[in-house]
Amino acid sequence: MRKFTLLLSFVLLVLIINAQQTGLFTTQVNWTNTVGSQSRSLVVYVPTNYNSGIDYSLVIGLHGLGDNPSNFIQGISYYTLNSYFGNVILACPDDGTPSTSWFSGDEDFDILTAIINHLDGTYSIDLNMVFAQGFSFGGKSAYLHGLEEADNIRGIIAHSPGFYNTADIHNNCNDPLHCQHDYNYQNASKVLVCITAGSGEYNLGLTEPYLDLAQKAVLKLNNSGGDAIFIEDPTGYHNLPPISIVQQCWDQVTKPLTNVEETKKLPGFNFYPNPASHKINFEIALNTNFSTAILDITGSVIHSGTFSTNRISISISDLANGIYLFKVYNKDGDTLYEKKFIVIK
């Protein structure tokens, strides 16, 4: 009996060790959604020094057209392993139906949640630090599934997402091949988003420039109550951006998740008009000195000033169309008020 117990303990130990594979390996993820049973090949990278006593972030990567998960995981591992991102596990599934759905068909729904459940059963995953990162058509799919499964995803990083056109972004597209499902903008406030595109992509896109569409997606998200930024790669065409830009994306998607519109709702403040075209006006009930700043969607300060009057007007005639953040500070630098506003000319 003692020998049997020792043998059983040994077998269980071997099973546990084998289950917790490290390094680069391929596994199979299975799940069931509304259209039936699904299965995908999944390439996973677990650090060779994996420690079950530490919680790991999870980055789920969706590759682009013509690529494969083995190649794409090498690309995104460069960003995570050579940055300050910390302990992270990577997982890249194979696409479901190449050249038709590309991670966006009925069979692909719930794919992110399925991967999370598959790995969380074996590894120590911090479920508050799960991200979807995709490129090209995979970037569009990260956008789609990240919004749909926002309760399980903290952030979306979409590099050069392959949106079909403006109608696609606004759920008004009638092309059944390229626009199979609506984006769930009701979940925009639940997930942080960073979208990148290269300057050279102004001449690349199925119907409209990817560069323009990426910025329109950020505008749509923020108009829907989300927190999204766009970063342009001035040296890029249709490729993954340099690590400095991806690190800015990590800063965006790992920051505290708060809806700017829900914060600083203090009485005694009035901001108008919104949207604006030529100037913005601000009124404050407090009899105090204050300073203001206007930030663009990358967080850069593009206008600042100090005032001692209760009502001010600021010219925005030099601002391009887009979303901006107006902030008001007291003399100690504490934030008194902040408001997203839209410039449309």
Side-chain angles (χ1 to χ4, degrees):
M1 182 65 181
R2 183 172 179 273
K3 289 183 178 180
F4 175 78
T5 302
L6 290 173
L7 179 59
L8 180 60
S9 299
F10 176 75
V11 170
L12 290 175
L13 179 61
V14 170
L15 289 174
I16 292 172
I17 293 173
N18 287 338
Q20 290 187 339
Q21 291 179 274
T22 61
L24 191 66
F25 59 91
T26 300
T27 182
Q28 201 77 11
V29 58
N30 304 297
W31 77 102
T32 300
N33 60 17
T34 56
V35 294
S37 299
Q38 310 300 331
S39 180
R40 293 288 184 281
S41 175
L42 183 69
V43 177
V44 181
Y45 174 79
V46 178
T48 54
N49 62 346
Y50 170 76
N51 182 347
S52 60
I54 299 174
D55 284 338
Y56 284 72
S57 303
L58 174 61
V59 177
I60 301 173
L62 304 180
H63 64 83
L65 182 65
D67 202 358
N68 60 72
S70 296
N71 183 63
F72 189 61
I73 203 169
Q74 298 289 346
I76 62 173
S77 68
Y78 168 78
Y79 295 129
T80 55
L81 302 181
N82 293 282
S83 70
Y84 50 77
F85 190 64
N87 300 309
V88 60
I89 291 174
L90 309 177
C92 295
D94 202 0
D95 54 280
T97 311
S99 302
T100 55
S101 68
W102 206 261
F103 294 121
S104 59
D106 291 340
E107 71 276 12
D108 295 293
F109 265 72
D110 301 323
I111 189 171
L112 301 182
T113 301
I115 293 171
I116 295 167
N117 292 338
H118 178 72
L119 293 174
D120 186 49
T122 304
Y123 299 97
S124 181
I125 304 292
D126 183 348
L127 297 179
N128 293 314
M129 291 289 285
V130 180
F131 308 91
Q133 181 177 17
F135 171 70
S136 193
F137 280 8
K140 173 183 176 177
S141 297
Y143 185 90
L144 171 70
H145 293 293
L147 285 171
E148 187 64 29
E149 302 175 59
D151 288 335
N152 298 321
I153 299 294
R154 182 186 181 91
I156 301 167
I157 299 178
H159 301 301
S160 303
F163 296 113
Y164 187 57
N165 53 22
T166 302
D168 176 16
I169 293 170
H170 289 276
N171 292 334
N172 294 320
C173 179
N174 59 6
D175 185 305
L177 176 62
H178 299 97
C179 315
Q180 297 189 33
H181 292 284
D182 288 348
Y183 305 107
N184 191 348
Y185 290 113
Q186 290 184 346
N187 286 338
S189 64
K190 296 180 180 181
V191 62
L192 298 163
V193 181
C194 177
I195 299 179
T196 73
S199 297
E201 295 188 277
Y202 190 80
N203 296 318
L204 180 65
L206 296 177
T207 60
E208 298 177 46
Y210 283 156
L211 187 66
D212 283 355
L213 292 174
Q215 295 177 76
K216 289 179 180 180
V218 167
L219 184 65
K220 176 64 177 177
L221 284 167
N222 289 333
N223 284 346
S224 302
D227 187 338
I229 64 170
F230 168 75
I231 305 176
E232 181 177 344
D233 174 8
T235 65
Y237 190 58
H238 193 59
N239 50 260
L240 292 172
I243 192 170
S244 59
I245 288 179
V246 179
Q247 287 178 333
Q248 292 178 61
C249 282
W250 290 135
D251 289 339
Q252 164 68 9
V253 300
T254 58
K255 71 181 184 180
L257 182 58
T258 57
N259 185 342
V260 173
E261 292 292 346
E262 305 256 336
T263 62
K264 308 302 178 187
K265 287 189 174 180
L266 301 178
F269 301 96
N270 188 22
F271 176 93
Y272 62 95
N274 190 12
S277 56
H278 302 295
K279 67 178 181 179
I280 55 174
N281 304 291
F282 176 69
E283 298 174 358
I284 183 171
L286 302 176
N287 185 19
T288 182
N289 295 334
F290 64 94
S291 59
T292 66
I294 297 176
L295 291 74
D296 62 19
I297 59 175
T298 70
S300 300
V301 176
I302 55 178
H303 182 279
S304 61
T306 302
F307 304 93
S308 58
T309 181
N310 293 91
R311 178 182 298 177
I312 63 171
S313 293
I314 300 174
S315 173
I316 56 170
S317 58
D318 59 336
L319 298 187
N321 289 351
I323 293 180
Y324 298 86
L325 180 64
F326 176 76
K327 301 191 71 169
V328 179
Y329 308 91
N330 64 17
K331 64 180 181 179
D332 296 320
D334 299 321
T335 300
L336 294 175
Y337 176 87
E338 54 187 23
K339 178 74 174 180
K340 285 181 183 176
F341 69 97
I342 305 170
V343 174
I344 299 178
K345 298 177 181 178

